[in-house]
Amino acid sequence: MVVMKFGGTSVADAVCIRRVADIVKSRLERRPVLVLSAMGDTTDHLLEAGALAYHKAQVSTGVIERLHLETIQNLGLGAAEGEIVPLLDELKSLLTGISQIRELSRRTRDYLLSFGERFSVRIVAAYLAALGITAKAFDSWELGFVSDSNYTVAEISGESWNLIPEKVLPLVEGGVLPVVTGFIARDAAGTITTLGRGGSDLSATMIAAACNAEEVQIWKDVDGILTADPRIVKNAKPVETVTYEEAAELAYFGAQVLHPRAMQPCMKTGTPVLVKNSYNAAAPGTRIVSSPEKRTLPVRAITSRKSITLVDIVSTRMLGQYGFLAEVFSSFARHHISVDMVATSEVSVSLTLDTVNDLSALKEELSRIASVELRQGKAIVTIVGNVKRSSEILARAFRTCEFLGVPVQMVSQGASKVNISFIVEDTEAEDVVRALHIDFFDRLEVPEPGGGPSGNEGKAGNEDKE
Ligand code: ADP
Ligand code: ASP
Ligand code: MG
């Protein structure tokens, strides 16, 4: 059995769905289970419709309705309308409710966003069935997905590890091709939850790991995990293999290509993950595995994450004292704010947070024990690479920043040691990523600041010693 996940861009319209069907048809002997995202930008459109209902008391589903009904028409699936129209009605009732009671809690938002995936699986399953494949649409909770009630970022509950194979395996063994909603689940009380934006990747890896599948394929609109975000670096290249750890670090530090928690289930079971391009199925894609294969370059990929706040906490009390850091971190815990990078000296600690957090209460609390400075508009640049070459990576990265005249404001080397991250200004991040990409992947010699020869001389070949 293989799990094949198709993202929003892979099922964006009738043409894309035909392409997906071709890919699936040619792999039927591997007994696929399909996991789908909502079509195209449907999730964003649902969010917009929710905001319109909440703020302006308008119920507007035009864009969403057109996309789905036109796709059904274009695929020649008149009968599938019978499944989609009741769901569209339910969506309109929900939006009417939101507009009347002016309530759009995280719980309601999850119910609202669930419609995207519920539409897409029904349409794609109907199309596969029309091609003569025994496909059937499922909402994930019908196949054992139970989550906690942490709406908008729910965690899949432990019991799902048993429930999912109990439901999925008999279907597959019975010759059915399940087409399952990604991204959504239900909590113990039966309320719909979502796993966080991009969460269909996690739904797919969870099914694959729990069912001991031979592989999970994540089909995107790019040739795999690339050496950098292709919207920043035009000539970013696909990476042949990465480890689960490396993929998780990349996702966590901003590479939108995978959901940050998507690697967790497969890391537990060692289930191989393959990232493929549905627009270019012939490309080999990126294989994500437990242990690194022979490497030829020091760096796997470079990524960046913007809108970061840098917090500097300085206290003379820290000198030779214990318990100060514990106090600082318990403040963050009390305010439910998650910290990404940390660097400490004898009297200060610097850390980074997402700027989306409201930090006023936290600042007030911390100010009682130390002097606190918040600096917004920062970006984290992350280099995921070979730990054995960390000195070389750091030297070359700092040389590049120096060459660009970009001061590095904080540095941290992750505990997993596959990542080196540093802070620069938001406005500098893309230039830094591009310059690092040139140095690490295009082998352009970076001249010394004074215009002297490159520090890369004598390292020709970049052969790994592993
Ligand atoms: P889907 O929703 O179809 O699963 P996403 O849009 O979430 O796919 O992720 C794919 C997109 O991620 C690509 O189109 C690309 O623009 C972006 N991306 C950012 N960083 C990377 C990277 N390092 N490698 C590949 N894609 C990346
Ligand atoms: N449709 C959801 C989103 O846009 C989940 C996903 O695509 O994985 O975030
Ligand atoms: Mg996505």
Side-chain angles (χ1 to χ4, degrees):
M1 164 190 158
V2 290
V3 177
M4 302 173 75
K5 179 256 165 172
F6 292 91
T9 44
S10 298
V11 291
D13 56 24
V15 175
C16 292
I17 292 174
R18 285 205 177 90
R19 199 180 292 125
V20 165
D22 284 341
I23 293 171
V24 174
K25 259 192 327 199
S26 66
R27 289 163 173 80
L28 284 177
E29 80 290 351
R30 294 186 75 184
R31 298 195 296 168
V33 172
L34 257 53
V35 175
L36 302 184
S37 293
M39 290 177 64
D41 295 327
T42 299
T43 308
D44 291 328
H45 292 144
L46 286 164
L47 277 174
E48 285 158 19
L52 210 58
Y54 180 73
H55 292 292
K56 302 229 166 95
Q58 281 175 33
V59 175
S60 158
T61 53
V63 183
I64 296 166
E65 210 167 318
R66 252 193 319 280
L67 172 67
H68 292 90
L69 295 180
E70 274 175 22
T71 304
I72 289 175
Q73 290 307 319
N74 294 340
L75 292 172
L77 299 174
E81 260 187 51
E83 283 198 79
I84 297 301
V85 170
L87 272 182
L88 277 168
D89 290 341
E90 188 185 332
L91 169 63
K92 281 181 208 152
S93 308
L94 172 63
L95 290 168
T96 306
I98 293 171
S99 73
Q100 284 170 345
I101 57 174
R102 296 292 171 100
E103 189 262 330
L104 186 50
S105 60
R106 283 157 30 110
R107 172 187 162 128
T108 305
R109 201 197 85 134
D110 277 359
Y111 175 30
L112 173 67
L113 294 195
S114 73
F115 285 92
E117 273 67 12
R118 292 198 278 160
F119 290 140
S120 69
V121 292
R122 284 162 175 78
I123 295 175
V124 171
Y127 184 59
L128 293 173
L131 298 179
I133 299 167
T134 323
K136 191 168 177 328
F138 290 94
D139 294 326
S140 69
W141 48 82
E142 297 175 275
L143 297 187
F145 272 82
V146 182
S147 77
D148 63 16
S149 307
N150 194 6
Y151 302 111
T152 74
V153 283
E155 295 264 2
I156 299 169
S157 308
E159 65 202 280
S160 301
W161 280 91
N162 294 328
L163 291 173
I164 293 171
E166 265 170 41
K167 303 279 186 188
V168 172
L169 292 178
L171 286 169
V172 175
E173 278 150 21
V176 175
L177 190 161
V179 184
V180 192
T181 54
F183 181 51
I184 60 179
R186 259 187 352 199
D187 66 11
T191 308
I192 295 178
T193 60
T194 67
L195 309 176
R197 292 302 305 267
S200 305
D201 297 336
L202 174 59
S203 311
T205 53
M206 181 66 198
I207 296 179
C211 295
N212 204 10
E214 61 183 86
E215 177 176 277
V216 47
Q217 303 171 353
I218 312 261
W219 292 81
K220 303 259 166 192
D221 60 343
V222 278
D223 281 348
I225 295 182
L226 307 180
T227 47
D229 186 333
R231 293 162 299 185
I232 298 174
V233 178
K234 293 281 169 281
N235 67 336
K237 308 165 187 60
V239 184
E240 209 177 303
T241 52
V242 298
T243 63
Y244 298 122
E245 262 185 336
E246 290 169 336
E249 296 281 339
L250 275 173
Y252 188 71
F253 285 99
Q256 189 208 326
V257 66
L258 285 174
H259 182 276
R261 283 184 281 131
M263 289 305 110
Q264 286 175 4
C266 291
M267 257 176 178
K268 280 196 188 140
T269 54
T271 310
V273 184
L274 184 60
V275 182
K276 291 274 290 177
N277 189 351
S278 69
Y279 292 73
N280 181 19
T286 298
R287 191 160 283 285
I288 308 177
V289 291
S290 311
S291 46
E293 289 169 18
K294 189 175 166 0
R295 300 170 173 205
T296 51
L297 291 171
V299 168
R300 280 290 202 242
I302 301 161
T303 185
S304 61
R305 203 164 105 188
K306 287 188 167 184
S307 296
I308 298 295
T309 298
L310 184 57
V311 185
D312 282 321
I313 302 168
V314 183
S315 167
T316 45
R317 263 187 56 201
M318 221 174 134
L319 204 61
Q321 290 280 324
Y322 52 83
F324 179 76
L325 284 180
E327 266 185 72
V328 168
F329 283 104
S330 52
S331 266
F332 283 95
R334 268 195 299 282
H335 292 273
H336 301 283
I337 292 173
S338 124
V339 172
D340 294 320
M341 283 169 63
V342 184
T344 61
S345 78
E346 194 50 39
V347 292
S348 72
V349 50
S350 299
L351 26 88
T352 68
L353 319 164
D354 276 343
T355 303
V356 285
N357 298 296
D358 175 11
L359 302 173
S360 45
L362 173 82
K363 185 175 181 195
E364 199 192 310
E365 190 171 310
L366 286 173
S367 298
R368 286 184 220 137
I369 54 168
S371 93
V372 182
E373 203 187 325
L374 301 180
R375 292 188 278 146
Q376 298 195 331
K378 310 291 173 188
I380 302 180
V381 174
T382 299
I383 302 175
V384 170
N386 180 353
V387 52
K388 293 186 186 151
R389 293 173 73 166
S390 61
S391 302
E392 177 195 343
I393 296 169
L394 280 165
R396 288 172 67 177
F398 289 159
R399 182 185 292 272
T400 299
C401 288
E402 186 191 16
F403 179 68
L404 293 176
V406 168
V408 171
Q409 303 182 33
M410 174 181 165
V411 189
S412 119
Q413 184 170 346
S416 63
K417 305 232 177 57
V418 299
N419 114 38
I420 288 168
S421 292
F422 52 92
I423 298 287
V424 297
E425 291 298 315
D426 242 351
T427 48
E428 297 162 343
E430 294 192 358
D431 284 343
V432 170
V433 169
R434 277 190 280 269
L436 288 173
H437 195 271
I438 289 172
D439 183 37
F440 284 113
F441 296 104
D442 298 347
R443 307 292 303 132
L444 183 93
E445 304 289 82
V446 179
E448 278 177 351
S454 161
N456 296 332
E457 277 175 9
K459 290 184 187 159
N462 252 344
E463 243 359 278
D464 200 338
K465 318 236 167 12
E466 280 186 323

